[in-house]
Amino acid sequence: MTTPALSYRGRFAPSPTGPLHFGSLVAAVGSFLEARTRYGEWHLRMEDVDAPRCIAAAAGEILRALEAFGFAWDGEIVWQSRRGEAYAAALERLKAAGRVFPCACTRRELADSAIAPDGAAIYPGTCRAGLAPGRTARAWRLRVRDARVSFDDAIQGRIVSDLARDAGDFILLRADGLFAYQLAVVVDDAEAGITHVVRGADLLASTSRQIFLQQCLGVPTPDYAHLPVAVNAEREKLSKQTLAAPVDISRPGPALYAALEFLGQRPPPELLGAAVSELWIWAQAHWRLDRVPCGPALPTPQGPAEP
Ligand code: GLU
C-alpha cells in the first residue's frame, strides 16, 4: 500500500478574545476532521494580532480546551503577535507595487460611509489619489479598483464579489499601528503553505478580500469551505459579544457529540455518553463534508453527562 502524498495542509486559527465556545469548537472539529480524513496536516495559529481585543488568559484556556477535546496539531503554534516583521515586509512589497495608499481619515470623517454587507464601512476614496495638504497618514489601505473575485466554496457554493461594492479599499495597517486581520491571515496562510481553509461562514465576507490580497502578493489561493455559523435563540452568532458560554471542558464528550451533530454528521445515539476518544474514532471513520449544512443554525441541546 502506498501512502498518499501530502497535499492537504489545514489549520484552526482562534482569536484569543475569550475561552473556546461552541462556535469555535465547531470550526476546530470541522477543520480537523477534514484535514485528517484527507491524510493532511492540521496546524494551529493564535490570532492575537488585535492585541487590544485579546485577553491574556484566553490563549491558555483555548489550548487547555483543545487538549481536553483530544485535538493534536502538527508543528509549532504560530502566534500572530510575534509575526510583525512578516506583515511589515508584505506591506512594503505592496507599497513598492503601488497597491496601497496612506489614509488620513478619522473614524468620525468616515461615519457617513456606505456599509458593506459585513458591517464594515466602505471607504469613500478620500485619500486614494493622495493625501490632502497638511494631512498625515494614519493608516494604509489596499486599492481595490474594480476587482471582482469569485470562488467555489466547498459548502456554500459559488461566491461572487465586487470588491468596490462589497468591501471598498480596506485597511492593512490600522491607525493604532496594528496590522489588520486580513493582512495577517493572508501572510500567515501563505507562509505556512495552507492548502485548505475550513472556518465559520461569518468569515465568508472576508474571503474575497483575502483572495484579492493573495493575488496582489502573488501567493496561492487555498481552497475554502465555510461551515454553518452557530447562533443563539435570537439568531445572533455565538461569540464573546453575545456572551456565548465557554464549552465545558470537564465534560468534553457531550460538546463534541453536539458539534458533530451540528455539522450534519449524525453520530449514533449510542455514542451520546461516550468519551471523546471513542467519538473521534467514529468521526474519523464517518466524516463527510457533503453532509455539512450551509445555513446558520441553533446547536441542539448537548447529550447527557458522561458516565
Ligand atoms: N481568528 C478568526 C476567528 O477566530 C478566524 C480566522 C480564520 O480562520 O481565518 O474568528
Side-chain angles (χ1 to χ4, degrees), residues 11 13-15 47 181 185 199 203:
R11 63 11 169 230
S15 302
E47 301 218 309
Y181 157 73
V185 167
R199 61 185 179 189
L203 291 159

Side-chain angles (χ1 to χ4, degrees), residues 12 20-30 66 69 71 247 252 255-256 259 263:
F12 174 53
L20 198 77
H21 55 77
F22 186 76
S24 26
L25 176 66
V26 162
V29 170
L66 293 176
F69 278 93
F71 287 101
V247 284
L256 179 55
L263 288 166

Side-chain angles (χ1 to χ4, degrees), residues 130-136:
L131 293 178
R135 308 267 346 232
T136 37

Side-chain angles (χ1 to χ4, degrees), residues 177-188:
L178 292 171
F179 290 99
Y181 157 73
Q182 309 291 356
L183 181 68
V185 167
V186 166
V187 170
D188 290 342

Side-chain angles (χ1 to χ4, degrees), residues 55 88 102 104 147 152 290-291:
I55 296 172
D152 290 305
D290 62 357
R291 287 208 169 135

Side-chain angles (χ1 to χ4, degrees), residues 87-106:
Y87 308 146
L91 184 63
E92 286 310 312
R93 278 171 57 202
L94 294 166
K95 283 184 191 172
R99 295 284 200 164
V100 288
F101 63 89
C103 174
C105 299
T106 61

